[in-house]
Amino acid sequence: MGRDVIIACDFASKEETLAFLDNFGDKKPFVKIGMELFYAEGPSIIKEIKARGHKIFLDLKLHDIPNTVKKSMNVLSNLDVDICNLHASGTKRMMEAALEGLIRPDGTRPLLIAVTQLTSTDQEAMENDLLIHEPIDKVVIHYAKNAKTAGLDGVVCSPLEAQKVHDACGKDFLTVTPGVRFADGDVGDQKRVMTPLQAKVAGSDYIVVGRPITAAKDPLKAYERCINEFVD
Ligand code: C5P
């Protein structure tokens, strides 16, 4: 798959989500569905959005013992999603088990990417809460390398880290990057942001864009602006 824009559909209900997707007519953007919507609506929301022709990144960030993650990934791959994820901190063994669980009877599987350190975790929380004393950048790259060794397809990271991840794990190892804002847009609660064009230059493979599209007056126009800057 080449570069693409993934819209973060952070809505609370199926009705809101489908009404939002109606804005795109025949265009079928790649969408990210997170915990809130999945827990509210269950697997049927995935089937419905798939049936409308969208690719889906199901952002459930699994983290449990390897056997449980393997079995859960098996359930998710049968929903025909395109990308799933988990926490790299669950260990290489957990990531390997997850990959095994994802393989469908026909041999295909969704892409599997890892969250390294959440952007809400800073150095202080790592030191005090998790007793991790290495610098956060080093931890992120170490977790990315673990994900690569376990056979995963990539990581979720800041566009500011995309180049370093590619340097450490190879150019084919995917970087999926949230924290994207238009040059003239609201930054909101995101701290370290890049424009879609900057993310392209930085080497992101996919950008995950939420509010710059979902809260735009004209979501289709905002989406097309992202595509023009990032993909074309
Ligand atoms: O609205 P906004 O563009 O900030 O949405 C970004 C999306 O990416 C949200 O769904 C958010 O939860 C997700 N995300 C993030 N930062 C991370 C991981 C995920 O913003 N480190």
Side-chain angles (χ1 to χ4, degrees):
M1 293 202 270
R3 269 195 312 272
D4 206 352
V5 174
I6 302 178
I7 305 179
C9 289
D10 293 322
F11 299 109
S13 71
K14 172 175 148 177
E15 290 69 30
E16 249 184 293
T17 309
L18 297 184
F20 171 74
L21 293 178
D22 285 343
N23 285 303
F24 297 89
D26 288 344
K27 290 215 160 56
K28 302 293 176 185
F30 206 136
V31 297
K32 178 171 90 71
I33 303 298
M35 289 187 224
E36 184 186 8
L37 191 60
F38 189 75
Y39 293 150
E41 301 288 352
S44 66
I45 183 74
I46 301 299
K47 291 180 189 155
E48 196 150 337
I49 294 173
K50 260 278 148 186
R52 285 173 164 235
H54 297 268
K55 286 186 178 166
I56 300 180
F57 168 17
L58 185 54
D59 180 17
L60 298 182
K61 300 188 180 73
L62 275 67
H63 189 171
D64 207 318
I65 60 169
N67 187 52
T68 301
V69 170
K70 178 177 173 176
K71 289 181 173 169
S72 307
M73 285 296 186
N74 191 248
V75 174
L76 299 183
S77 77
N78 288 330
L79 290 177
D80 201 22
V81 295
D82 299 278
I83 305 181
C84 293
N85 65 353
L86 44 59
H87 279 282
S89 56
T91 73
K92 281 192 266 189
R93 201 154 71 80
M94 188 198 81
M95 292 193 269
E96 286 162 2
L99 261 187
E100 283 171 30
L102 279 180
I103 298 169
R104 303 184 181 108
D106 66 359
T108 64
R109 67 165 173 83
L111 294 174
L112 181 61
I113 60 176
V115 174
T116 54
Q117 279 291 348
L118 290 170
T119 42
S120 51
T121 307
D122 59 11
Q123 187 76 40
E124 192 190 340
M126 261 185 17
E127 303 260 354
N128 297 336
D129 298 358
L130 308 177
L131 289 184
I132 300 173
H133 303 299
E134 298 287 345
I136 195 158
D137 294 8
K138 198 171 160 192
V139 174
V140 166
I141 295 300
H142 182 67
Y143 284 14
K145 285 182 178 166
N146 285 349
K148 164 97 179 167
T149 306
L152 269 67
D153 303 293
V155 288
V156 182
C157 64
S158 157
L160 295 140
E161 291 158 353
Q163 192 58 56
K164 272 191 219 155
V165 169
H166 280 139
D167 289 347
C169 301
K171 70 170 175 32
D172 294 334
F173 192 67
L174 300 173
T175 52
V176 179
T177 65
V180 174
R181 292 292 179 267
F182 292 122
D184 53 2
D186 240 359
V187 173
D189 55 0
Q190 292 283 10
K191 296 222 160 53
R192 302 186 306 148
V193 298
M194 277 194 181
T195 66
L197 181 60
Q198 287 168 334
K200 175 180 175 176
V201 173
S204 295
D205 297 289
Y206 293 89
I207 48 173
V208 176
V209 187
R211 287 158 292 179
I213 298 176
T214 57
K217 250 191 246 133
D218 186 340
L220 176 59
K221 207 166 141 200
Y223 172 68
E224 286 177 334
R225 182 174 173 193
C226 281
I227 294 282
N228 287 340
E229 280 192 38
F230 184 69
V231 181
D232 295 341

